[in-house]
Amino acid sequence: QFAANPERLKNLHFAFVVLLRAVRRAAPYLSAYQYTGSGDAAEDARTAELMRRLLGTSILRSCEPLFEAFDEGMLFREAQAPWWSLKKQFKGVFHNISKVIDCVSCSKCRLHAKVTMLGLGTALKMLLLPEDLLATAVSQQEVVALVNTLTKFSTAIHYVKEMTQLQYARYFDPPADLAPKKPGAAVPAAASAPA
């Protein structure tokens, strides 16, 4: 799918940068968040520790230059449309995608799509809201969806890299039965004309 549509791969990487930038911007809120509600204090403590490790990872710090690929401050500074009109368009797009997702017959696929859309919506909310409003405007379900979506995009990028390497190896080192025939090569006996 990506080989025939390279813009999908660009979109995947761009969305991942948006998710990472949202996590970085909301890091103070996410690290202070009370991860409770599982009913198991040990599991809640483990969740909080894993979030602190995610927020403090060197990988997130090493992505700092990539965050310049998306500047949410410029998003609503378009001269042709006021900021409230663009926000309304965003809401309209999310609403339309939700309506399409509702038509999917597979309940598992529908659930995954809705969680991913909630994660992307949460990332945009974290980027566009003033930082002092994050503590009251983002719910536990949105935090869970954000982390889940970040995981999905990270895994997808990992597999794209792996599949690209496999495709490269297949193209440049194909199996003997798929390798192009050299000019003047002997024709296999089964394919030779009857005598």
Side-chain angles (χ1 to χ4, degrees):
Q1 290 179 353
F2 285 125
N5 302 281
E7 73 281 356
R8 293 181 185 175
L9 189 55
K10 288 180 183 176
N11 290 340
L12 176 69
H13 282 95
F14 179 77
F16 188 59
V17 168
V18 170
L19 288 163
L20 287 175
R21 188 174 172 111
V23 167
R24 189 208 49 181
R25 184 173 188 263
Y29 161 73
L30 292 171
S31 61
Y33 191 83
Q34 296 299 312
Y35 296 96
T36 58
S38 71
D40 182 356
E43 187 63 30
D44 292 340
R46 183 173 177 268
T47 301
E49 177 59 28
L50 289 171
M51 182 58 82
R52 279 191 289 276
R53 286 173 57 188
L54 169 67
L55 298 172
T57 181
S58 60
I59 295 172
L60 195 58
R61 286 191 302 273
S62 71
C63 293
E64 198 72 28
L66 296 177
F67 292 141
E68 303 310 313
F70 180 81
D71 181 6
E72 68 277 359
M74 298 296 291
L75 191 59
F76 296 115
R77 290 184 191 163
E78 300 292 330
Q80 68 270 18
W83 64 271
W84 63 87
S85 174
L86 289 172
K87 282 190 175 182
K88 191 174 179 182
Q89 288 175 19
F90 263 113
K91 286 183 179 180
V93 167
F94 273 84
H95 181 70
N96 289 341
I97 292 172
S98 283
K99 282 170 52 176
V100 170
I101 291 170
D102 288 337
C103 296
V104 174
S105 59
C106 172
S107 59
K108 188 176 179 181
C109 298
R110 191 167 52 246
L111 172 66
H112 283 283
K114 289 211 176 226
V115 169
T116 301
M117 287 303 300
L118 181 59
L120 290 169
T122 303
L124 288 174
K125 182 190 278 190
M126 288 179 163
L127 287 171
L128 300 174
L129 277 177
E131 289 185 40
D132 57 327
L133 295 179
L134 285 176
T136 57
V138 179
S139 69
Q140 184 174 351
Q141 290 82 7
E142 289 174 318
V143 172
V144 170
L146 175 70
V147 173
N148 186 286
T149 304
L150 185 66
T151 303
K152 284 183 183 182
F153 276 75
S154 176
T155 304
I157 288 172
H158 172 76
Y159 284 127
V160 165
K161 182 179 177 184
E162 192 175 300
M163 287 186 289
T164 301
Q165 290 170 345
L166 288 172
Q167 183 70 16
Y168 182 84
R170 182 173 178 241
Y171 182 77
F172 288 103
D173 189 22
D177 59 332
L178 295 177
K181 304 291 185 253
K182 295 180 180 175
V187 178
S192 59

